[in-house]
Amino acid sequence: MRRFLVDRASIENVNVVQQEAELEPPPNVVNEFNPNEIVRDPVDVVKARLGTMRESGWNNFFADVQGFCVAKSILVPNMDDEIPVRGRSRAEGRTITNLHHYRAKIFYVAIDKICVEMDHRFSEGSNIILDCFSCLDPKNSFSKFDVDKLARLADIYHADFSYDDRGTIRDQLETYVLQVRRNASFSTCEDVQSLAMKMVQTEKHLVFPLVYKLIELALILPVSTASVERAFSAMKIIKSKLRNKINDVWFNDLMVCYTEREIFKSLDDIDIIRTFTAKKSRKGHLPRNFI
Protein backbone atom coordinates (compact mmCIF):
# COMPACT_ATOMS: atom_id res chain seq x y z
CA MET A 1 0.00 0.00 0.00
CA ARG A 2 2.91 2.33 0.74
CA ARG A 3 4.42 1.64 -2.68
CA PHE A 4 1.07 2.30 -4.33
CA LEU A 5 0.74 5.63 -2.55
CA VAL A 6 4.21 6.77 -3.59
CA ASP A 7 3.75 5.55 -7.18
CA ARG A 8 0.37 7.23 -7.51
CA ALA A 9 1.77 10.50 -6.17
CA SER A 10 4.51 10.35 -8.81
CA ILE A 11 1.99 9.47 -11.52
CA GLU A 12 -0.26 12.36 -10.51
CA ASN A 13 2.73 14.71 -10.75
CA VAL A 14 3.67 13.44 -14.22
CA ASN A 15 0.08 13.84 -15.43
CA VAL A 16 -0.09 17.38 -14.07
CA VAL A 17 3.19 18.34 -15.75
CA GLN A 18 2.06 16.91 -19.10
CA GLN A 19 -1.34 18.61 -18.89
CA GLU A 20 0.06 22.03 -18.00
CA ALA A 21 3.16 22.08 -20.20
CA GLU A 22 1.48 20.15 -23.08
CA LEU A 23 4.75 18.58 -24.14
CA GLU A 24 5.05 15.78 -26.68
CA PRO A 25 7.74 13.04 -26.48
CA PRO A 26 10.95 14.60 -27.86
CA PRO A 27 12.34 13.13 -31.11
CA ASN A 28 15.87 14.36 -30.44
CA VAL A 29 18.03 16.17 -27.92
CA VAL A 30 17.41 19.62 -29.39
CA ASN A 31 13.63 19.29 -29.08
CA GLU A 32 13.91 17.77 -25.61
CA PHE A 33 14.32 21.28 -24.21
CA ASN A 34 12.00 23.78 -25.88
CA PRO A 35 12.36 27.24 -24.31
CA ASN A 36 9.23 28.32 -26.17
CA GLU A 37 7.03 26.03 -24.06
CA ILE A 38 8.78 25.49 -20.71
CA VAL A 39 8.37 28.79 -18.85
CA ARG A 40 7.73 29.87 -15.31
CA ASP A 41 3.92 29.89 -15.40
CA PRO A 42 3.39 26.13 -15.98
CA VAL A 43 5.85 25.32 -13.19
CA ASP A 44 4.00 27.59 -10.77
CA VAL A 45 0.67 26.05 -11.79
CA VAL A 46 2.02 22.55 -11.18
CA LYS A 47 3.27 23.55 -7.73
CA ALA A 48 -0.12 25.10 -6.93
CA ARG A 49 -1.96 21.95 -7.98
CA LEU A 50 0.37 19.80 -5.92
CA GLY A 51 -0.32 22.07 -2.95
CA THR A 52 -4.06 21.69 -3.50
CA MET A 53 -3.65 17.93 -3.75
CA ARG A 54 -1.75 17.93 -0.45
CA GLU A 55 -4.35 20.03 1.37
CA SER A 56 -7.59 18.53 0.09
CA GLY A 57 -6.78 15.61 -2.18
CA TRP A 58 -6.40 12.84 0.39
CA ASN A 59 -10.02 11.62 0.34
CA ASN A 60 -10.17 11.19 -3.44
CA PHE A 61 -6.71 9.69 -3.45
CA PHE A 62 -7.56 7.18 -0.73
CA ALA A 63 -10.74 6.23 -2.58
CA ASP A 64 -8.60 5.32 -5.59
CA VAL A 65 -6.34 3.25 -3.33
CA GLN A 66 -9.30 1.37 -1.91
CA GLY A 67 -10.64 0.69 -5.39
CA PHE A 68 -7.26 -0.64 -6.47
CA CYS A 69 -6.97 -2.88 -3.40
CA VAL A 70 -10.48 -4.29 -3.89
CA ALA A 71 -9.77 -5.02 -7.56
CA LYS A 72 -6.53 -6.83 -6.64
CA SER A 73 -8.02 -8.63 -3.61
CA ILE A 74 -5.69 -6.78 -1.24
CA LEU A 75 -6.79 -6.40 2.37
CA VAL A 76 -7.31 -2.74 3.32
CA PRO A 77 -6.43 -2.07 6.97
CA ASN A 78 -8.81 -0.22 9.23
CA MET A 79 -7.66 3.39 9.29
CA ASP A 80 -8.79 3.81 12.93
CA ASP A 81 -6.65 0.96 14.27
CA GLU A 82 -3.67 1.85 16.45
CA ILE A 83 -0.18 0.75 15.39
CA PRO A 84 3.21 1.27 17.09
CA VAL A 85 5.26 4.24 15.93
CA ARG A 86 7.90 2.97 13.56
CA GLY A 87 11.46 3.72 14.57
CA ARG A 88 10.53 3.77 18.25
CA SER A 89 10.82 1.10 20.89
CA ARG A 90 7.60 -0.79 21.51
CA ALA A 91 8.31 -0.51 25.23
CA GLU A 92 7.53 3.20 25.05
CA GLY A 93 3.96 2.34 24.12
CA ARG A 94 3.62 5.18 21.59
CA THR A 95 1.01 4.48 18.93
CA ILE A 96 -0.59 6.23 15.98
CA THR A 97 -3.54 5.39 13.77
CA ASN A 98 -3.21 3.84 10.34
CA LEU A 99 -4.79 6.99 8.94
CA HIS A 100 -2.04 9.20 10.38
CA HIS A 101 0.65 6.79 9.22
CA TYR A 102 -0.47 6.57 5.58
CA ARG A 103 -1.55 10.19 5.22
CA ALA A 104 1.15 12.06 7.18
CA LYS A 105 4.09 9.66 6.91
CA ILE A 106 3.67 8.59 3.27
CA PHE A 107 1.19 10.71 1.29
CA TYR A 108 2.39 14.12 2.52
CA VAL A 109 6.04 13.07 2.44
CA ALA A 110 5.79 11.87 -1.18
CA ILE A 111 4.24 15.16 -2.33
CA ASP A 112 6.76 17.22 -0.36
CA LYS A 113 9.66 15.34 -1.97
CA ILE A 114 8.21 15.98 -5.43
CA CYS A 115 7.90 19.70 -4.64
CA VAL A 116 11.47 19.84 -3.35
CA GLU A 117 12.71 18.10 -6.50
CA MET A 118 10.83 20.62 -8.67
CA ASP A 119 12.34 23.52 -6.71
CA HIS A 120 15.76 21.97 -7.27
CA ARG A 121 15.27 21.49 -11.01
CA PHE A 122 13.37 24.74 -11.62
CA SER A 123 15.17 27.22 -9.39
CA GLU A 124 14.60 30.96 -9.58
CA GLY A 125 17.68 31.48 -11.72
CA SER A 126 16.68 28.72 -14.13
CA ASN A 127 13.17 30.13 -14.45
CA ILE A 128 14.56 33.56 -15.32
CA ILE A 129 16.77 32.10 -18.06
CA LEU A 130 13.92 30.00 -19.46
CA ASP A 131 11.60 32.99 -19.41
CA CYS A 132 14.14 35.10 -21.30
CA PHE A 133 14.84 32.40 -23.89
CA SER A 134 11.11 31.97 -24.49
CA CYS A 135 11.13 35.46 -26.06
CA LEU A 136 12.91 33.97 -29.09
CA ASP A 137 9.73 32.12 -30.02
CA PRO A 138 9.02 32.94 -33.71
CA LYS A 139 5.35 31.89 -33.58
CA ASN A 140 2.59 34.42 -34.30
CA SER A 141 5.02 36.86 -35.90
CA PHE A 142 7.37 36.93 -32.87
CA SER A 143 4.59 37.95 -30.52
CA LYS A 144 6.64 36.98 -27.43
CA PHE A 145 9.69 38.98 -28.51
CA ASP A 146 10.93 41.16 -25.62
CA VAL A 147 14.04 43.28 -26.10
CA ASP A 148 14.57 43.87 -22.36
CA LYS A 149 14.54 40.18 -21.46
CA LEU A 150 16.79 39.18 -24.35
CA ALA A 151 19.23 41.96 -23.54
CA ARG A 152 19.30 40.63 -19.99
CA LEU A 153 20.64 37.34 -21.32
CA ALA A 154 23.74 39.17 -22.52
CA ASP A 155 24.35 40.26 -18.92
CA ILE A 156 23.75 36.74 -17.60
CA TYR A 157 26.14 35.22 -20.16
CA HIS A 158 28.66 38.03 -19.77
CA ALA A 159 31.54 35.69 -20.62
CA ASP A 160 30.15 35.28 -24.16
CA PHE A 161 29.40 38.98 -24.72
CA SER A 162 31.93 41.77 -24.42
CA TYR A 163 31.17 45.12 -22.84
CA ASP A 164 30.66 46.67 -26.29
CA ASP A 165 28.34 43.80 -27.29
CA ARG A 166 26.17 44.35 -24.24
CA GLY A 167 25.92 48.02 -25.15
CA THR A 168 24.84 47.45 -28.77
CA ILE A 169 22.74 44.30 -28.51
CA ARG A 170 19.57 46.23 -27.66
CA ASP A 171 19.71 48.24 -30.90
CA GLN A 172 20.48 45.10 -32.87
CA LEU A 173 17.49 43.29 -31.36
CA GLU A 174 15.13 46.12 -32.21
CA THR A 175 16.33 46.21 -35.82
CA TYR A 176 16.24 42.42 -36.04
CA VAL A 177 12.61 42.02 -34.97
CA LEU A 178 11.46 44.70 -37.45
CA GLN A 179 13.17 42.93 -40.35
CA VAL A 180 12.05 39.37 -39.57
CA ARG A 181 8.43 40.46 -39.08
CA ARG A 182 8.45 42.01 -42.54
CA ASN A 183 10.22 39.03 -44.13
CA ALA A 184 7.64 36.45 -45.27
CA SER A 185 10.16 33.58 -45.19
CA PHE A 186 10.33 33.76 -41.38
CA SER A 187 6.58 33.28 -41.02
CA THR A 188 7.03 29.51 -41.48
CA CYS A 189 9.34 29.17 -38.46
CA GLU A 190 7.76 27.20 -35.64
CA ASP A 191 10.61 26.91 -33.13
CA VAL A 192 14.10 28.16 -32.34
CA GLN A 193 15.71 25.37 -34.35
CA SER A 194 13.92 26.32 -37.57
CA LEU A 195 14.60 29.99 -36.83
CA ALA A 196 18.34 29.33 -36.66
CA MET A 197 18.25 27.40 -39.95
CA LYS A 198 16.30 30.19 -41.64
CA MET A 199 18.75 32.81 -40.44
CA VAL A 200 21.65 30.87 -41.96
CA GLN A 201 19.76 30.39 -45.23
CA THR A 202 18.99 34.11 -45.50
CA GLU A 203 22.46 35.08 -44.14
CA LYS A 204 20.83 37.06 -41.36
CA HIS A 205 23.29 35.45 -38.95
CA LEU A 206 25.98 37.63 -40.52
CA VAL A 207 23.87 40.78 -40.28
CA PHE A 208 22.78 40.13 -36.67
CA PRO A 209 25.64 38.14 -35.10
CA LEU A 210 24.67 38.97 -31.51
CA VAL A 211 21.09 37.81 -32.00
CA TYR A 212 22.32 34.63 -33.63
CA LYS A 213 24.62 34.03 -30.65
CA LEU A 214 21.58 34.17 -28.36
CA ILE A 215 19.86 31.58 -30.56
CA GLU A 216 22.94 29.37 -30.38
CA LEU A 217 22.91 29.60 -26.59
CA ALA A 218 19.25 28.57 -26.55
CA LEU A 219 20.05 25.52 -28.68
CA ILE A 220 23.11 24.34 -26.75
CA LEU A 221 21.53 24.92 -23.33
CA PRO A 222 20.01 21.39 -23.07
CA VAL A 223 23.33 19.83 -24.06
CA SER A 224 25.30 21.85 -21.52
CA THR A 225 22.73 21.10 -18.83
CA ALA A 226 22.93 17.36 -19.53
CA SER A 227 26.73 17.53 -19.44
CA VAL A 228 26.65 19.15 -16.00
CA GLU A 229 24.22 16.50 -14.73
CA ARG A 230 26.48 13.72 -16.02
CA ALA A 231 29.50 15.40 -14.43
CA PHE A 232 27.83 15.47 -11.02
CA SER A 233 26.88 11.81 -11.43
CA ALA A 234 30.50 11.02 -12.27
CA MET A 235 31.67 12.84 -9.13
CA LYS A 236 29.71 10.43 -6.95
CA ILE A 237 31.37 7.48 -8.71
CA ILE A 238 34.93 8.80 -8.70
CA LYS A 239 35.06 10.40 -5.26
CA SER A 240 34.28 7.31 -3.20
CA LYS A 241 35.02 6.64 0.47
CA LEU A 242 38.50 5.43 -0.46
CA ARG A 243 39.18 8.66 -2.36
CA ASN A 244 37.68 11.18 0.01
CA LYS A 245 41.01 13.05 0.35
CA ILE A 246 41.84 13.25 -3.34
CA ASN A 247 43.37 16.58 -4.40
CA ASP A 248 41.69 18.87 -6.92
CA VAL A 249 44.20 18.37 -9.75
CA TRP A 250 44.03 14.58 -9.67
CA PHE A 251 40.27 14.68 -9.24
CA ASN A 252 39.91 16.97 -12.25
CA ASP A 253 42.07 14.65 -14.37
CA LEU A 254 39.97 11.64 -13.38
CA MET A 255 36.77 13.56 -14.15
CA VAL A 256 38.01 14.40 -17.64
CA CYS A 257 38.98 10.80 -18.31
CA TYR A 258 35.62 9.52 -17.10
CA THR A 259 33.34 12.03 -18.82
CA GLU A 260 35.29 11.91 -22.10
CA ARG A 261 35.94 8.17 -21.98
CA GLU A 262 34.76 7.67 -25.57
CA ILE A 263 37.60 9.91 -26.76
CA PHE A 264 40.14 8.19 -24.54
CA LYS A 265 39.10 4.78 -25.83
CA SER A 266 40.21 5.83 -29.31
CA LEU A 267 43.73 6.73 -28.11
CA ASP A 268 46.60 4.28 -28.35
CA ASP A 269 47.96 3.15 -24.97
CA ILE A 270 51.54 3.13 -26.29
CA ASP A 271 51.28 6.81 -27.28
CA ILE A 272 49.99 7.68 -23.81
CA ILE A 273 52.88 5.83 -22.15
CA ARG A 274 55.48 7.51 -24.38
CA THR A 275 54.04 10.96 -23.70
CA PHE A 276 53.93 10.29 -19.97
CA THR A 277 57.53 9.03 -19.77
CA ALA A 278 58.85 11.91 -21.91
CA LYS A 279 57.45 14.60 -19.62
CA LYS A 280 60.37 14.46 -17.13
CA SER A 281 63.22 12.24 -16.06
CA ARG A 282 62.26 9.35 -13.82
CA LYS A 283 64.14 6.95 -11.64
CA GLY A 284 62.75 3.93 -13.40
CA HIS A 285 62.42 3.56 -17.16
CA LEU A 286 60.24 1.20 -19.12
CA PRO A 287 61.94 -1.48 -21.23
CA ARG A 288 62.82 -0.48 -24.77
CA ASN A 289 60.75 -3.24 -26.30
CA PHE A 290 57.74 -2.04 -24.29
CA ILE A 291 57.72 1.53 -25.61
Side-chain angles (χ1 to χ4, degrees), residues 81-96:
D81 289 347
E82 299 282 340
I83 60 173
V85 178
R86 298 191 179 185
R88 295 282 184 175
S89 174
R90 290 178 177 268
E92 295 181 6
R94 297 181 59 181
T95 61
I96 57 174

PDB file of all heavy atoms in Angstrom, residues 81-96:
ATOM      1  N   ASP A  81      -7.432   1.840  13.399  1.00  0.00           N
ATOM      2  CA  ASP A  81      -6.652   0.960  14.270  1.00  0.00           C
ATOM      3  C   ASP A  81      -5.352   1.636  14.692  1.00  0.00           C
ATOM      4  O   ASP A  81      -4.751   2.402  13.936  1.00  0.00           O
ATOM      5  CB  ASP A  81      -6.338  -0.347  13.561  1.00  0.00           C
ATOM      6  CG  ASP A  81      -7.580  -1.218  13.400  1.00  0.00           C
ATOM      7  OD1 ASP A  81      -8.597  -0.908  14.055  1.00  0.00           O
ATOM      8  OD2 ASP A  81      -7.542  -2.188  12.607  1.00  0.00           O
ATOM      9  N   GLU A  82      -4.916   1.313  15.913  1.00  0.00           N
ATOM     10  CA  GLU A  82      -3.674   1.853  16.454  1.00  0.00           C
ATOM     11  C   GLU A  82      -2.512   0.921  16.105  1.00  0.00           C
ATOM     12  O   GLU A  82      -2.620  -0.302  16.210  1.00  0.00           O
ATOM     13  CB  GLU A  82      -3.770   2.009  17.976  1.00  0.00           C
ATOM     14  CG  GLU A  82      -4.860   2.964  18.449  1.00  0.00           C
ATOM     15  CD  GLU A  82      -4.438   4.418  18.300  1.00  0.00           C
ATOM     16  OE1 GLU A  82      -3.213   4.672  18.198  1.00  0.00           O
ATOM     17  OE2 GLU A  82      -5.328   5.285  18.282  1.00  0.00           O
ATOM     18  N   ILE A  83      -1.391   1.518  15.690  1.00  0.00           N
ATOM     19  CA  ILE A  83      -0.179   0.752  15.392  1.00  0.00           C
ATOM     20  C   ILE A  83       0.987   1.424  16.091  1.00  0.00           C
ATOM     21  O   ILE A  83       0.969   2.639  16.341  1.00  0.00           O
ATOM     22  CB  ILE A  83       0.089   0.667  13.873  1.00  0.00           C
ATOM     23  CG1 ILE A  83       0.256   2.073  13.273  1.00  0.00           C
ATOM     24  CG2 ILE A  83      -1.006  -0.089  13.164  1.00  0.00           C
ATOM     25  CD1 ILE A  83       0.680   2.065  11.810  1.00  0.00           C
ATOM     26  N   PRO A  84       2.045   0.659  16.442  1.00  0.00           N
ATOM     27  CA  PRO A  84       3.212   1.267  17.086  1.00  0.00           C
ATOM     28  C   PRO A  84       3.914   2.237  16.144  1.00  0.00           C
ATOM     29  O   PRO A  84       3.903   2.084  14.930  1.00  0.00           O
ATOM     30  CB  PRO A  84       4.107   0.068  17.411  1.00  0.00           C
ATOM     31  CG  PRO A  84       3.212  -1.125  17.374  1.00  0.00           C
ATOM     32  CD  PRO A  84       2.157  -0.815  16.365  1.00  0.00           C
ATOM     33  N   VAL A  85       4.511   3.256  16.720  1.00  0.00           N
ATOM     34  CA  VAL A  85       5.260   4.239  15.935  1.00  0.00           C
ATOM     35  C   VAL A  85       6.532   3.573  15.424  1.00  0.00           C
ATOM     36  O   VAL A  85       7.317   3.035  16.204  1.00  0.00           O
ATOM     37  CB  VAL A  85       5.601   5.476  16.780  1.00  0.00           C
ATOM     38  CG1 VAL A  85       6.434   6.469  15.963  1.00  0.00           C
ATOM     39  CG2 VAL A  85       4.328   6.140  17.284  1.00  0.00           C
ATOM     40  N   ARG A  86       6.726   3.592  14.149  1.00  0.00           N
ATOM     41  CA  ARG A  86       7.901   2.966  13.556  1.00  0.00           C
ATOM     42  C   ARG A  86       9.143   3.780  13.872  1.00  0.00           C
ATOM     43  O   ARG A  86       9.143   5.006  13.820  1.00  0.00           O
ATOM     44  CB  ARG A  86       7.726   2.838  12.047  1.00  0.00           C
ATOM     45  CG  ARG A  86       6.558   1.949  11.675  1.00  0.00           C
ATOM     46  CD  ARG A  86       6.536   1.613  10.197  1.00  0.00           C
ATOM     47  NE  ARG A  86       5.428   0.736   9.876  1.00  0.00           N
ATOM     48  CZ  ARG A  86       5.207   0.206   8.673  1.00  0.00           C
ATOM     49  NH1 ARG A  86       6.028   0.495   7.669  1.00  0.00           N
ATOM     50  NH2 ARG A  86       4.169  -0.579   8.465  1.00  0.00           N
ATOM     51  N   GLY A  87      10.220   3.069  14.178  1.00  0.00           N
ATOM     52  CA  GLY A  87      11.461   3.724  14.567  1.00  0.00           C
ATOM     53  C   GLY A  87      11.570   3.975  16.046  1.00  0.00           C
ATOM     54  O   GLY A  87      12.583   4.507  16.503  1.00  0.00           O
ATOM     55  N   ARG A  88      10.536   3.609  16.807  1.00  0.00           N
ATOM     56  CA  ARG A  88      10.534   3.774  18.251  1.00  0.00           C
ATOM     57  C   ARG A  88      10.426   2.414  18.929  1.00  0.00           C
ATOM     58  O   ARG A  88       9.900   1.452  18.349  1.00  0.00           O
ATOM     59  CB  ARG A  88       9.363   4.656  18.705  1.00  0.00           C
ATOM     60  CG  ARG A  88       9.419   6.087  18.220  1.00  0.00           C
ATOM     61  CD  ARG A  88      10.400   6.888  19.050  1.00  0.00           C
ATOM     62  NE  ARG A  88      10.392   8.291  18.666  1.00  0.00           N
ATOM     63  CZ  ARG A  88      11.088   9.233  19.297  1.00  0.00           C
ATOM     64  NH1 ARG A  88      11.824   8.892  20.349  1.00  0.00           N
ATOM     65  NH2 ARG A  88      11.053  10.480  18.888  1.00  0.00           N
ATOM     66  N   SER A  89      10.913   2.343  20.145  1.00  0.00           N
ATOM     67  CA  SER A  89      10.818   1.100  20.894  1.00  0.00           C
ATOM     68  C   SER A  89       9.368   0.834  21.274  1.00  0.00           C
ATOM     69  O   SER A  89       8.629   1.743  21.659  1.00  0.00           O
ATOM     70  CB  SER A  89      11.691   1.173  22.153  1.00  0.00           C
ATOM     71  OG  SER A  89      11.508   0.024  22.950  1.00  0.00           O
ATOM     72  N   ARG A  90       8.969  -0.433  21.132  1.00  0.00           N
ATOM     73  CA  ARG A  90       7.598  -0.788  21.509  1.00  0.00           C
ATOM     74  C   ARG A  90       7.363  -0.625  23.007  1.00  0.00           C
ATOM     75  O   ARG A  90       6.219  -0.496  23.451  1.00  0.00           O
ATOM     76  CB  ARG A  90       7.307  -2.228  21.099  1.00  0.00           C
ATOM     77  CG  ARG A  90       7.197  -2.420  19.582  1.00  0.00           C
ATOM     78  CD  ARG A  90       6.956  -3.873  19.220  1.00  0.00           C
ATOM     79  NE  ARG A  90       6.789  -4.051  17.789  1.00  0.00           N
ATOM     80  CZ  ARG A  90       5.626  -4.037  17.154  1.00  0.00           C
ATOM     81  NH1 ARG A  90       4.511  -3.845  17.851  1.00  0.00           N
ATOM     82  NH2 ARG A  90       5.548  -4.196  15.848  1.00  0.00           N
ATOM     83  N   ALA A  91       8.467  -0.650  23.775  1.00  0.00           N
ATOM     84  CA  ALA A  91       8.310  -0.508  25.232  1.00  0.00           C
ATOM     85  C   ALA A  91       7.802   0.873  25.612  1.00  0.00           C
ATOM     86  O   ALA A  91       7.205   1.061  26.676  1.00  0.00           O
ATOM     87  CB  ALA A  91       9.649  -0.781  25.932  1.00  0.00           C
ATOM     88  N   GLU A  92       8.022   1.853  24.757  1.00  0.00           N
ATOM     89  CA  GLU A  92       7.529   3.196  25.052  1.00  0.00           C
ATOM     90  C   GLU A  92       6.007   3.270  24.984  1.00  0.00           C
ATOM     91  O   GLU A  92       5.387   4.144  25.594  1.00  0.00           O
ATOM     92  CB  GLU A  92       8.133   4.206  24.075  1.00  0.00           C
ATOM     93  CG  GLU A  92       9.645   4.352  24.199  1.00  0.00           C
ATOM     94  CD  GLU A  92      10.184   5.370  23.227  1.00  0.00           C
ATOM     95  OE1 GLU A  92       9.361   6.038  22.546  1.00  0.00           O
ATOM     96  OE2 GLU A  92      11.419   5.534  23.137  1.00  0.00           O
ATOM     97  N   GLY A  93       5.410   2.372  24.197  1.00  0.00           N
ATOM     98  CA  GLY A  93       3.958   2.342  24.117  1.00  0.00           C
ATOM     99  C   GLY A  93       3.351   3.446  23.264  1.00  0.00           C
ATOM    100  O   GLY A  93       2.142   3.700  23.344  1.00  0.00           O
ATOM    101  N   ARG A  94       4.149   4.104  22.430  1.00  0.00           N
ATOM    102  CA  ARG A  94       3.624   5.180  21.592  1.00  0.00           C
ATOM    103  C   ARG A  94       2.968   4.577  20.353  1.00  0.00           C
ATOM    104  O   ARG A  94       3.538   3.739  19.663  1.00  0.00           O
ATOM    105  CB  ARG A  94       4.753   6.131  21.183  1.00  0.00           C
ATOM    106  CG  ARG A  94       5.404   6.833  22.359  1.00  0.00           C
ATOM    107  CD  ARG A  94       6.495   7.789  21.883  1.00  0.00           C
ATOM    108  NE  ARG A  94       5.963   8.802  20.962  1.00  0.00           N
ATOM    109  CZ  ARG A  94       6.721   9.741  20.401  1.00  0.00           C
ATOM    110  NH1 ARG A  94       8.028   9.785  20.657  1.00  0.00           N
ATOM    111  NH2 ARG A  94       6.171  10.614  19.581  1.00  0.00           N
ATOM    112  N   THR A  95       1.773   5.010  20.064  1.00  0.00           N
ATOM    113  CA  THR A  95       1.015   4.477  18.931  1.00  0.00           C
ATOM    114  C   THR A  95       0.406   5.623  18.125  1.00  0.00           C
ATOM    115  O   THR A  95       0.196   6.725  18.638  1.00  0.00           O
ATOM    116  CB  THR A  95      -0.104   3.535  19.406  1.00  0.00           C
ATOM    117  OG1 THR A  95      -1.015   4.253  20.248  1.00  0.00           O
ATOM    118  CG2 THR A  95       0.466   2.334  20.141  1.00  0.00           C
ATOM    119  N   ILE A  96       0.116   5.306  16.862  1.00  0.00           N
ATOM    120  CA  ILE A  96      -0.589   6.228  15.976  1.00  0.00           C
ATOM    121  C   ILE A  96      -1.603   5.422  15.184  1.00  0.00           C
ATOM    122  O   ILE A  96      -1.535   4.193  15.131  1.00  0.00           O
ATOM    123  CB  ILE A  96       0.371   6.957  15.010  1.00  0.00           C
ATOM    124  CG1 ILE A  96       1.168   5.936  14.185  1.00  0.00           C
ATOM    125  CG2 ILE A  96       1.299   7.908  15.748  1.00  0.00           C
ATOM    126  CD1 ILE A  96       2.033   6.571  13.117  1.00  0.00           C
TER     127      ILE A  96
END
